[in-house]
Amino acid sequence: MLDTISFSQRQRLAYIDFCLLFKGAIHRQDLIKRFEVGLSAGSRDFTLYKELAPDNLVYSAQEKRYFQTESFLPLFEHDARRTLVKLANDISDGFDAIGDIHFPVESASSLNVPDIFVVAKVVQAIVNQKAMSVIYTSLSSGSGARELVPHSIVDNGQRWHVRAFDRKSQSFRDFVLTRISKVTVKDTPDENELKDCDEAWQRMIPLEIVPHPKNIKYPTAIELDYAMEEGVLVLQVRAAMAGYLLRRWNVDCTKLASLRTGEYQLWLRNQASLANIDNLAIAPGYTSEEVEYQ
C-alpha cells in the first residue's frame, strides 16, 4: 500500500515512524508544524499510519500524543549510519527511509555499524532525560549489566560512542554503541547525573595544531590542507573529545615532535592545554610528563 500513496504523504508517515522509534512519542502538532499541513490532513496521516501498523502506537487522551507500544516494529527501514549522522547534526526527519536524494560522493566504508534498535532506545533515553539499563561488553571485564544516564551520541571518526554517567563507577564515561545490548529505558536521573555536571564535556580547551616541524619538507601544503592562518590551526574542542580528534588526525603530541613516521603530518605545539584530561592514552605520543617538563 505504501507504493500507492503520494511521495509527500510517505514522507509524513516516515516522520511519524521516526519519532515513534527514536523519541518514543509524537504530538499531532509536531507533524503539522514540520510539514505545514492542516489539522485534517495531519489527522488523516495518523489514521493511515494506524491502518498500516495498528500495533505501533497508542493515543493518550490525557497527554494528547501518540506513544510507541511495546510491540512496535518500524513501518520503514531506517539506516543506522545515515540516521546517526542526521541525529549528530540535529536533523530529525526519517526521510532516508523513503529515499533521500543521492549525490555522487563516496566515503570510506564503515566497519562499525550499531544496531538501529539499540540506537533508538539510547536516543529515547537522551531525548526524555532518562536513565537506561544495558548489557555492556567491555574489553577488560566482558559482558555485564550497567545503569547509564546518557546525554550525547558521539562520532569519534572510527566508531560511535554514547557519553553517559555510569552509576557503577560514579563517573562520566564513553561507551561504544556496538557493545551495548538489551537496552531498557528507566527512571529519571538525579541532577548530578545530567550533562551539566559532566565537567570534561562542558570544558572547552584550545588546541594549536601546526605542520610537523620535522616530517614535512613543504609546510605550505599542510597549511592549505587545513586552512591554517599564519601557519597554525586553532581549535576549541571539548576536553572529553580532545583525545579522539588528536588520534583521528594523527597529531604528534610529543614535546619535541619526536614521532617521525610519515603518517604524522601535524604537531600539537601547546601540550600544556592537555593537562587534567582523562582520555589522552589515545593521543599519539602524549604522556603527562610532557606537560610537567615544560
Side-chain angles (χ1 to χ4, degrees):
M1 184 175 177
L2 284 173
D3 295 333
T4 65
I5 63 177
S6 68
F7 183 78
S8 59
Q9 189 166 37
R10 274 188 287 143
Q11 281 189 325
R12 297 195 297 273
L13 294 179
Y15 179 73
I16 294 172
D17 202 53
F18 182 91
C19 290
L20 289 171
L21 177 59
F22 291 100
K23 298 181 180 180
I26 180 173
H27 286 91
R28 187 177 304 171
Q29 201 63 28
D30 294 336
L31 183 74
I32 292 171
K33 288 182 178 179
R34 178 68 178 77
F35 293 95
E36 298 181 351
V37 296
L39 180 61
S40 58
S43 297
R44 286 194 298 270
D45 291 332
F46 277 100
T47 298
L48 178 57
Y49 185 91
K50 195 166 182 64
E51 289 177 7
L52 295 170
D55 298 324
N56 274 7
L57 73 170
V58 60
Y59 184 71
S60 168
Q62 181 178 4
E63 298 196 37
K64 295 183 179 179
R65 58 176 171 163
Y66 293 88
F67 285 89
Q68 179 199 97
T69 64
E70 292 186 2
S71 58
F72 177 87
L73 288 174
L75 183 60
F76 296 86
E77 185 176 347
H78 301 272
D79 181 85
R81 284 171 291 189
R82 298 175 72 187
T83 296
L84 281 167
V85 170
K86 287 190 171 186
L87 290 169
N89 289 280
D90 198 25
I91 303 171
S92 302
D93 55 20
F95 292 174
D96 58 288
I98 59 171
D100 280 343
I101 297 173
H102 294 282
F103 296 97
V105 177
E106 293 292 333
S107 61
S109 297
S110 173
L111 302 180
N112 185 282
V113 183
D115 182 284
I116 192 69
F117 296 106
V118 169
V119 173
K121 286 295 184 182
V122 172
V123 173
Q124 280 188 41
I126 293 172
V127 169
N128 296 294
Q129 287 196 334
K130 298 289 186 180
M132 62 184 187
S133 175
V134 306
I135 300 297
Y136 188 75
T137 303
S138 71
L139 292 174
S140 58
S141 57
S143 297
R146 285 179 182 263
E147 287 194 3
L148 308 177
V149 182
H151 67 67
S152 302
I153 290 179
V154 177
D155 175 14
N156 74 356
Q158 291 182 313
R159 55 192 180 186
W160 293 91
H161 289 75
V162 56
R163 182 76 175 173
F165 182 83
D166 174 28
R167 287 178 171 171
K168 181 179 179 180
S169 65
Q170 288 292 297
S171 62
F172 288 95
R173 295 188 174 186
D174 297 339
F175 296 87
V176 183
L177 268 177
T178 49
R179 298 179 188 169
I180 295 176
S181 59
K182 298 182 180 178
V183 183
T184 303
V185 178
K186 297 189 68 181
D187 56 314
T188 300
D190 296 331
E191 289 292 327
N192 68 298
E193 300 174 323
L194 298 177
K195 180 167 66 174
D196 288 346
C197 293
D198 187 347
E199 189 274 338
W201 184 264
Q202 300 295 339
R203 178 160 57 99
M204 305 298 290
I205 64 170
L207 299 180
E208 298 176 7
I209 298 173
V210 299
H212 200 286
K214 298 178 181 178
N215 294 344
I216 300 300
K217 185 176 181 180
Y218 300 104
T220 302
I222 301 301
E223 293 172 14
L224 290 171
D225 281 347
Y226 297 94
M228 294 180 177
E229 295 184 4
E230 298 182 357
V232 60
L233 175 64
V234 180
L235 301 174
Q236 294 288 331
V237 303
R238 297 186 187 279
M241 296 289 291
Y244 296 129
L245 183 146
L246 294 167
R247 181 177 66 171
R248 180 179 184 180
W249 295 106
N250 290 324
V251 180
D252 183 346
C253 298
T254 62
K255 179 182 179 182
L256 300 177
S258 55
L259 299 181
R260 299 302 301 274
T261 51
E263 69 266 29
Y264 297 105
Q265 299 181 344
L266 301 169
W267 177 56
L268 180 69
R269 74 177 188 185
N270 64 327
Q271 292 86 358
S273 65
L274 301 182
N276 302 316
I277 299 178
D278 293 332
N279 70 340
L280 292 179
I282 60 176
Y286 177 79
T287 61
S288 59
E289 286 79 9
E290 298 290 346
V291 173
E292 293 172 5
Y293 292 155
Q294 289 191 33

